[in-house]
């Protein structure tokens, strides 16, 4: 007999060799009908995999992330079967699950392929799914695997086989399709009830621009037709909210090929939005005891050699800048932290000086591949709301929890109410990509987990996601469309103080190393703005709106009164514009609505005669006539309420 421990801590005994699906049947037939795969200890396996020893077991359904990934990876195999049936001779690269759905890279041998062929493949996939073919796993000797794909003349699978050891190779077969695959897979194709091919793109084999370009087909599947309908609705909503589209319409930012790919140009309205975000955080940082600093956009190559960034990222960064002095090299700044270490070293530090909190809105540069660039979410030059806290070891947990409070304050003020935390630790086995002593890593990891627990944060642990110099706590925010984004991050670092030989004099009059905490509540300001645009659909809270109001005179007779009104509003730090165009008032109102201006102030004969204004609020309509002081009080109260800055 073996003991199976379930996620809720419940333990049951079963015969050795029991499978997850048999475990599910022992609980209920309803559960068994929904099991897609299982997590045995830390490994996701087929629901038919025998369990030989005591184990922790989680039965995975559509409601679990790993369950969805298994479902979508199995769907990729089903799509490949449909494509092979419709286009014999097709060669296949890889077909992984992604965040939403899956893709498969294929080589059609020069045949044209476009969206007009999507429905044919969708129909074939559903036809095959109804056959309820099992996904059958089979270990295969390397020689046999090579022979199989040589016969199919599939050079892509043969290349993948080159890196695999004999004894570790498995095939999966469903229906008439066999693929090289580690798995796991869902029990059978009948789980797949709805299919949608989403797009087609070119993709270089193994991401190498020198290799052949394959056809990448993106698709998504669901166990219920209704879920596909809901997803397609969200997809359309996402297009409507796309920050690239809204950024252009609202005149926030632009890109220019002459300036360079991935280097955004902030237009006046976008700059106002950025400045308001920065000022909001600056005020919060002053209250939290941070000191502002400014560092150059470049640094000596030796600075990043010392920090370790050059060894880790040098090949993927902008290449060194050579000066007229022979051998002198500079780099565009990829990180702010090495500069802040040098600021720390500008004078001797005592234990009484710590914690020292240095904050900077610092622009950094990283050479992202052109194919990876995407609006503001993936750029080559971006500004981080970066800060580094230099503290004593006994101050780490307290400082870490204070940063958590700051991140939560930012999220609340900006309307991000659904979030989770991810504790990102080192890979369990591959330690080569990390620097520093195990002892320091263990202390840093323990401090992060303890802080998250004491703050009551819902968190998950992800191995292999740590920065090369230390573990971190990443905040994953869910937006209005249910998408998850990684925003704020906090990292504990024992390594850079060591590499830069940072010291402070302790109460024992001896020299000690400080610990460094990296933090960025926004992360990348560019990426944060992109997510904010999409989360609000461009309807920013009043305090953030570039144009908070529009003063709309009914005709040119009332322009002087409109200008007078606007001057008084500016004195109270309320910003917008006066619409002087020779247009009817209805057109002016519609244009202000399209531009997502929160308040419209309409002035005409009655308003001018009585010294009043007529107020219209976006999304609510007319609020009636009132004095300008009464309106300004309404606006100021809304701003204070939204920023929680009373």
């Amino acid at each position: 007999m073996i003991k199976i421990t379930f996620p809720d801590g419940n333990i049951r005994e079963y015969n050795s060799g029991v499978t997850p699906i048999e475990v599910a049947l022992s609980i209920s037939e309803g559960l068994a009908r929904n099991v897609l795969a299982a997590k045995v200890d830390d490994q996701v396996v087929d629901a038919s995999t025998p369990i030989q020893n005591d184990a922790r077991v989680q039965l995975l359904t559509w409601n679990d992330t790993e369950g969805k990934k298994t479902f979508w990876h199995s769907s990729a195999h089903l799509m490949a079967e449909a494509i092979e049936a419709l286009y014999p001779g097709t060669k296949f690269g890889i077909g992984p699950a992604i965040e939403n759905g899956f893709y498969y890279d294929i080589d059609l041998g020069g045949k044209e392929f476009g969206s007009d062929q999507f429905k044919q493949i969708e129909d074939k996939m559903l036809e095959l799914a109804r056959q309820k073919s099992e996904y059958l796993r089979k270990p295969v000797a390397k020689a046999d695997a090579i022979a199989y794909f040589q016969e199919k003349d599939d050079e892509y699978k043969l290349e993948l086989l080159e890196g695999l050891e004999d004894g570790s190779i498995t095939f999966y077969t469903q229906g008439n399709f066999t693929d090289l695959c580690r798995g796991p897979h869902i029990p059978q194709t009948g789980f797949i009830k709805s299919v949608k091919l989403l797009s087609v793109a070119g993709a270089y084999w193994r991401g190498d621009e020198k290799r052949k370009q394959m056809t990448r087909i993106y698709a998504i599947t669901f166990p219920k037709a209704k879920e596909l309908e809901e997803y397609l609705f969200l997809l359309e909503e996402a297009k409507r909210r796309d920050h690239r589209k809204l950024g252009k319409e609202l005149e926030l930012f632009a890109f220019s090929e002459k300036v360079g790919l991935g280097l955004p140009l902030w237009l006046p309205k976008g700059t106002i939005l950025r400045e308001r975000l920065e000022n909001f955080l600056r005020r919060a940082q002053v209250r939290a005891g941070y000191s502002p600093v400014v560092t150059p956009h470049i640094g000596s190559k030796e600075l990043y050699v010392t920090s370790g960034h050059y060894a880790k990222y040098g090949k993927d960064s902008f290449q060194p800048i050579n000066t007229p002095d022979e051998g002198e090299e500079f780099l565009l700044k990829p990180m702010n932290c090495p500069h802040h270490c040098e600021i720390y070293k500008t004078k001797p530090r005592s234990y009484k000086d710590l914690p020292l909190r240095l904050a900077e809105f610092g622009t950094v540069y990283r050479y992202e591949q052109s194919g990876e660039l995407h609006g503001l979410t993936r750029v080559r030059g971006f500004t981080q709301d970066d800060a580094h806290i230099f503290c004593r070891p006994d101050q780490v947990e307290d400082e870490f929890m204070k940063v958590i409070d700051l991140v939560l304050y930012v999220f609340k003020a900006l309307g991000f109410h659904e979030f989770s935390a991810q504790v990102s630790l080192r890979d369990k086995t591959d330690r080569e990509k990390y620097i520093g002593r195990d002892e320091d890593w263990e202390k840093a990891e323990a401090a992060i987990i303890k802080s998250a627990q004491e703050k009551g944060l819902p968190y998950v642990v992800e191995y292999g996601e740590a920065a090369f110099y230390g573990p971190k706590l990443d905040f994953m925010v869910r937006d209005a469309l249910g998408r998850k984004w990684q925003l704020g991050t906090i990292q504990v670092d024992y390594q850079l103080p060591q590499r830069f030989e940072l010291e402070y004099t302790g109460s024992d009059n001896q020299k000690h190393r400080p610990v460094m905490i990296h933090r960025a509540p926004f992360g990348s300001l560019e990426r944060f703005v992109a997510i904010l645009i999409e989360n609000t659909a461009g309807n920013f809270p009043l305090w953030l709106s570039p144009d908070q109001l529009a003063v709309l005179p009914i005709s040119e007779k009332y322009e002087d009164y409109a200008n007078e009104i606007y001057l008084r509003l500016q004195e109270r730090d309320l910003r917008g514009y006066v619409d002087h165009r020779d247009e009817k008032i209805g057109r002016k109102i519609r244009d202000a609505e399209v531009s997502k201006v929160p308040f419209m102030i309409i002035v005409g004969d009655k308003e001018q005669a009585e010294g009043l204004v007529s107020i219209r609020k976006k999304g609510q309509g007319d609020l009636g006539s009132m004095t300008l002081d009464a309106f300004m009080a309404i606006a100021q109260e809304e701003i204070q309420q939204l920023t929680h800055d009373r």
Side-chain angles (χ1 to χ4, degrees):
M1 302 295 288
I2 60 171
K3 292 180 179 179
I4 300 296
T5 303
F6 295 95
D8 63 0
N10 187 28
I11 299 174
R12 293 192 183 192
E13 288 194 345
Y14 294 89
N15 289 320
S16 179
V18 68
T19 65
I21 196 66
E22 290 169 342
V23 170
L25 276 168
S26 74
I27 298 170
S28 78
E29 288 189 10
L31 174 61
R33 284 195 297 271
N34 290 297
V35 168
L36 301 174
K39 196 170 186 179
V40 178
D41 292 328
D42 293 321
Q43 185 178 3
V44 181
V45 299
D46 297 329
S48 59
T49 302
I51 305 170
Q52 305 292 356
N53 303 301
D54 293 350
R56 291 174 286 107
V57 174
Q58 180 184 359
L59 300 170
L60 301 174
T61 69
W62 177 252
N63 296 323
D64 301 296
T65 300
E66 293 101 332
K68 281 188 174 73
K69 285 185 176 180
T70 304
F71 187 93
W72 284 329
H73 181 49
S74 301
S75 300
H77 281 232
L78 183 68
M79 184 171 75
E81 182 182 5
I83 290 170
E84 190 169 68
L86 295 168
Y87 305 97
T90 299
K91 299 173 184 180
F92 296 92
I94 58 171
I98 53 178
E99 186 175 0
N100 286 300
F102 56 93
Y103 68 80
Y104 219 124
D105 289 341
I106 64 173
D107 181 351
L108 288 158
K111 298 187 187 79
E112 293 293 323
F113 186 85
S115 58
D116 55 335
Q117 291 149 286
F118 283 5
K119 189 174 187 308
Q120 183 186 29
I121 294 175
E122 291 166 359
D123 290 344
K124 187 65 176 178
M125 287 178 69
L126 290 172
E127 175 193 325
L128 294 170
R130 287 191 289 269
Q131 295 176 11
K132 299 184 178 180
S133 301
E134 289 185 64
Y135 286 88
L136 301 172
R137 183 178 188 272
K138 179 185 176 183
V140 182
K142 187 168 185 176
D144 293 337
I146 291 171
Y148 178 81
F149 285 110
Q150 281 177 337
E151 187 176 345
K152 286 192 76 174
D153 191 28
D154 194 328
E155 66 265 28
Y156 304 105
K157 298 296 182 183
L158 288 169
E159 185 175 329
L160 291 173
L161 278 166
E162 288 175 7
L164 300 179
E165 292 184 10
D166 205 351
S168 67
I169 298 167
T170 53
F171 280 2
Y172 273 86
T173 299
Q174 93 276 352
N176 293 317
F177 182 74
T178 296
D179 206 353
L180 171 68
C181 184
R182 287 193 303 266
H185 285 283
I186 61 177
Q188 44 96 355
T189 60
F191 282 89
I192 301 167
K193 296 292 198 302
S194 56
V195 176
K196 184 68 177 177
L197 270 62
L198 300 171
S199 62
V200 61
Y204 292 106
W205 173 234
R206 294 196 148 180
D208 186 345
E209 295 180 6
K210 297 176 182 177
R211 306 291 297 273
K212 185 168 183 177
Q213 190 174 66
M214 304 181 75
T215 299
R216 176 170 292 180
I217 303 174
Y218 290 93
I220 197 165
T221 54
F222 292 92
K224 294 179 182 177
K226 183 182 178 184
E227 289 175 317
L228 174 58
E229 292 173 11
E230 292 170 351
Y231 176 77
L232 294 176
F233 172 79
L234 288 178
L235 212 56
E236 288 304 310
E237 183 67 8
K239 289 178 184 176
R240 187 178 72 82
R241 291 169 176 258
D242 191 319
H243 76 278
R244 295 167 298 176
K245 172 178 172 287
L246 289 174
K248 184 176 182 180
E249 292 173 359
L250 299 177
E251 299 179 0
L252 300 176
F253 60 88
F255 289 92
S256 162
E257 288 190 11
K258 286 188 177 179
V259 172
L261 296 177
L263 300 171
L265 300 169
W266 289 91
L267 306 180
K269 291 182 181 180
T271 301
I272 291 171
L273 175 65
R274 272 181 61 123
E275 286 179 348
R276 288 188 173 150
L277 281 170
E278 289 181 15
N279 290 336
F280 160 73
L281 187 55
R282 281 193 178 100
R283 288 194 298 271
Q285 288 177 164
V286 167
R287 291 195 298 269
Y290 287 83
S291 299
V293 295
V294 176
T295 61
H297 289 250
I298 65 172
S300 167
K301 176 182 170 182
E302 288 306 309
L303 178 70
Y304 309 112
V305 170
T306 299
S307 70
H309 289 99
Y310 186 76
K312 293 293 179 181
Y313 304 118
K315 292 180 180 178
D316 300 319
S317 295
F318 286 94
Q319 292 305 295
I321 303 164
N322 294 303
T323 73
D325 288 349
E326 188 176 347
E328 187 177 51
E329 291 181 311
F330 286 82
L331 288 178
L332 288 172
K333 178 170 62 173
M335 291 279 191
N336 297 302
C337 36
H339 296 253
H340 291 191
C341 288
E342 289 298 305
I343 289 175
Y344 179 94
K345 292 180 70 174
T346 55
K347 67 177 185 179
R349 307 285 178 178
S350 159
Y351 72 99
K352 293 180 180 180
D353 299 325
L354 304 184
L356 174 66
R357 307 179 187 98
L358 303 178
E360 175 181 19
F361 286 89
T363 302
V364 297
Y365 302 89
R366 299 177 195 169
Y367 191 81
E368 301 285 355
Q369 295 297 318
S370 58
E372 299 292 323
L373 299 174
H374 182 82
L376 292 180
T377 60
R378 203 73 180 266
V379 290
R380 288 174 173 169
F382 56 93
T383 302
Q384 291 181 310
D385 58 323
D386 224 350
H388 298 94
I389 302 165
F390 300 89
C391 59
R392 304 190 308 264
D394 63 292
Q395 295 172 322
V396 170
E397 287 179 22
D398 185 53
E399 287 300 309
F400 200 92
M401 286 191 281
K402 286 178 181 176
V403 177
I404 291 175
D405 289 337
L406 180 63
V407 171
L408 298 184
Y409 168 77
V410 169
F411 287 177
K412 185 178 181 182
L414 290 162
F416 292 109
H417 302 298
E418 289 190 45
F419 61 87
S420 60
Q422 175 179 301
V423 177
S424 300
L425 306 180
R426 289 177 298 175
D427 189 283
K428 286 185 174 181
T429 54
D430 181 10
R431 299 292 171 88
E432 289 187 8
K433 56 184 177 181
Y434 308 105
I435 61 175
R437 301 181 305 169
D438 287 345
E439 175 189 345
D440 291 336
W441 274 89
E442 288 160 7
K443 285 189 289 187
E445 290 170 348
I448 289 178
I449 292 170
K450 185 177 179 183
S451 299
Q453 289 172 341
E454 289 196 13
K455 282 295 176 183
L457 288 179
Y459 72 89
V460 296
V461 175
E462 290 290 343
Y463 292 94
E465 295 297 318
F468 75 90
Y469 50 76
K472 55 183 180 168
L473 183 68
D474 293 324
F475 288 84
M476 317 301 289
V477 169
R478 193 174 293 276
D479 69 9
L481 297 179
R483 299 171 301 185
K484 284 206 307 187
W485 301 91
Q486 190 263 307
L487 288 182
T489 185
I490 319 171
Q491 304 167 4
V492 177
D493 179 6
Y494 283 79
Q495 313 311 325
L496 288 189
Q498 182 76 27
R499 295 176 79 95
F500 280 92
E501 299 180 342
L502 305 186
E503 295 179 335
Y504 67 90
T505 302
S507 58
D508 58 1
N509 210 33
Q510 299 299 310
K511 297 296 184 183
H512 300 273
R513 290 261 185 261
V515 182
M516 194 171 173
I517 296 175
H518 308 241
R519 53 111 280 212
F522 292 150
S524 153
L525 197 57
E526 282 71 11
R527 190 163 179 266
F528 190 89
V529 169
I531 296 165
L532 188 64
I533 291 170
E534 296 189 2
N535 191 53
T536 62
N539 297 301
F540 302 115
L542 182 62
W543 68 276
L544 261 184
S545 295
D547 287 323
Q548 296 170 313
L549 51 89
V551 183
L552 311 178
I554 289 175
S555 73
E556 65 179 47
K557 279 178 24 181
Y558 310 106
E559 285 189 1
D560 288 344
Y561 183 55
N563 290 336
E564 179 188 330
I565 291 293
Y566 185 59
L567 283 173
R568 288 181 60 193
L569 290 164
Q570 282 184 307
E571 290 170 359
R572 296 285 287 272
D573 201 29
L574 293 169
R575 305 295 180 200
Y577 61 92
V578 180
D579 190 339
H580 289 297
R581 294 177 303 160
D582 185 19
E583 296 282 359
K584 292 183 177 179
I585 191 65
R587 173 64 183 271
K588 291 181 178 182
I589 290 172
R590 281 194 302 274
D591 288 349
E593 289 270 2
V594 169
S595 296
K596 303 182 185 294
V597 178
F599 283 106
M600 284 148 273
I601 301 173
I602 301 164
V603 294
D605 188 60
K606 179 184 176 184
E607 288 79 17
Q608 181 170 282
E610 299 180 9
L612 301 174
V613 290
S614 290
I615 304 300
R616 182 181 181 88
K617 187 173 184 182
K618 180 172 171 42
Q620 293 185 22
D622 292 328
L623 301 185
S625 296
M626 61 186 74
T627 65
L628 186 60
D629 285 340
F631 165 70
M632 288 192 290
I634 290 171
Q636 295 288 359
E637 183 180 356
E638 183 171 325
I639 288 170
Q640 288 182 351
Q641 183 179 3
L642 286 166
T643 57
H644 309 279
D645 193 18
R646 294 194 174 100

